[in-house]
Amino acid sequence: MMGRQDRDQGQLFYEFSLDEMIPADHLLRRINGFATAVLADLHDQLKAFYSDIGRPSIDPELMIRMLLVGYCYGIRHERRLCQEVALHLAYRWFCKLDLDDKVPHHSTFSVNRLGRFRESEILRHIFERVVAACMAAGLVKGEGFAVDASVMEANASRYHGKAPNPGPMRNVRSAQWPSILPHSKPRRRSRKTETAAGVVLTGSRPQHPTASHRR
């Protein structure tokens, strides 16, 4: 007998635990303890860049955790990052957001990145703490660094990523160029061109065949 999922009215009360929905081997669960240790003194580092009066601001730890989610999963745009955190349960759990908590507006990230985070150099502080923790764990030595780069072909390159091969072309005479270059057409040399070439090569103007008879 085929069953049907018929629900005319939604359930009023739910017994739901967000922590139970995140698998034990999930990436965000594995780095959560490490992120908590790195961000332990975040509020003390940023205390001087907040006012003592006014309404409470967005928690800076929440924004840092959202940025970590974007870095881990390749979400580069802040507007999309806010949408993904609002929809994904694992992202909400890592950012310490409950199901009914609102996600910060995407413009909040721009204001803090260009303001408090840049002036306080908090991102540099977090990076240095991450490197120090990796050195303490024996993952890195801290003696050197590596830079990764990718060579990309530009649209303006006429060789399309391949260098020209001038070797066989050096011994080719000018008369053989039309057969090598299919798009080039041989030009017919006019009498004026031959005369000008004779002046350049011999240094004297060629005489007309009938010049001796005119003398």
Side-chain angles (χ1 to χ4, degrees):
M1 179 178 178
M2 182 183 298
R4 291 180 178 272
Q5 187 178 7
D6 297 330
R7 290 185 179 179
D8 298 335
Q9 184 178 2
Q11 187 175 351
L12 296 179
F13 301 97
Y14 291 89
E15 184 178 356
F16 183 82
S17 176
L18 187 59
D19 183 74
E20 296 178 357
M21 301 300 297
I22 312 303
D25 57 346
H26 196 276
L27 174 62
L28 295 180
R29 181 179 288 277
R30 287 185 291 174
I31 69 175
N32 180 52
F34 186 74
T36 303
V38 171
L39 302 178
D41 60 342
L42 177 66
H43 297 88
D44 296 335
Q45 296 289 334
L46 294 175
K47 185 177 181 179
F49 296 89
Y50 284 87
S51 176
D52 296 333
I53 59 175
R55 62 179 183 177
S57 64
I58 303 297
D59 192 349
E61 183 178 354
L62 170 59
M63 290 184 288
I64 295 297
R65 285 180 173 268
M66 291 182 64
L67 291 177
L68 292 177
V69 170
Y71 297 149
C72 291
Y73 292 94
I75 306 175
R76 298 179 296 176
H77 302 284
E78 297 168 350
R79 187 186 299 269
R80 183 185 173 187
L81 177 61
C82 295
Q83 296 175 354
E84 294 293 334
V85 172
L87 297 175
H88 205 289
L89 295 179
Y91 298 169
R92 279 183 169 271
W93 174 85
F94 181 77
C95 297
K96 299 182 179 181
L97 292 174
D98 205 350
L99 292 177
D100 54 351
D101 290 339
K102 293 184 178 180
V103 179
H105 196 264
H106 63 86
S107 61
T108 307
F109 289 93
S110 302
V111 174
N112 285 272
R113 279 194 304 102
L114 301 177
R116 298 186 181 96
F117 292 171
R118 175 176 294 182
E119 295 173 0
S120 62
E121 296 185 353
I122 189 62
L123 299 180
R124 178 185 292 273
H125 174 71
I126 295 174
F127 178 77
E128 292 176 353
R129 293 204 61 177
V130 171
V131 174
C134 293
M135 293 175 61
L139 300 178
V140 295
K141 296 182 179 180
E143 299 176 356
F145 65 94
V147 179
D148 187 14
S150 299
V151 180
M152 301 181 64
E153 178 185 355
N155 293 332
S157 177
R158 61 174 180 171
Y159 300 117
H160 301 285
K162 297 181 180 180
N165 187 11
M169 306 299 291
R170 294 179 178 177
N171 299 327
V172 178
R173 297 181 180 180
S174 59
Q176 299 176 359
W177 278 100
S179 60
I180 299 176
L181 302 178
H183 299 288
S184 61
K185 297 182 179 180
R187 294 184 178 180
R188 189 174 182 179
R189 300 178 63 182
S190 60
R191 185 175 182 84
K192 294 182 179 180
T193 306
E194 295 177 355
T195 305
V199 174
V200 174
L201 295 177
T202 61
S204 60
R205 187 177 299 275
Q207 298 182 357
H208 197 272
T210 59
S212 59
H213 300 284
R214 293 180 181 177
R215 291 180 183 179

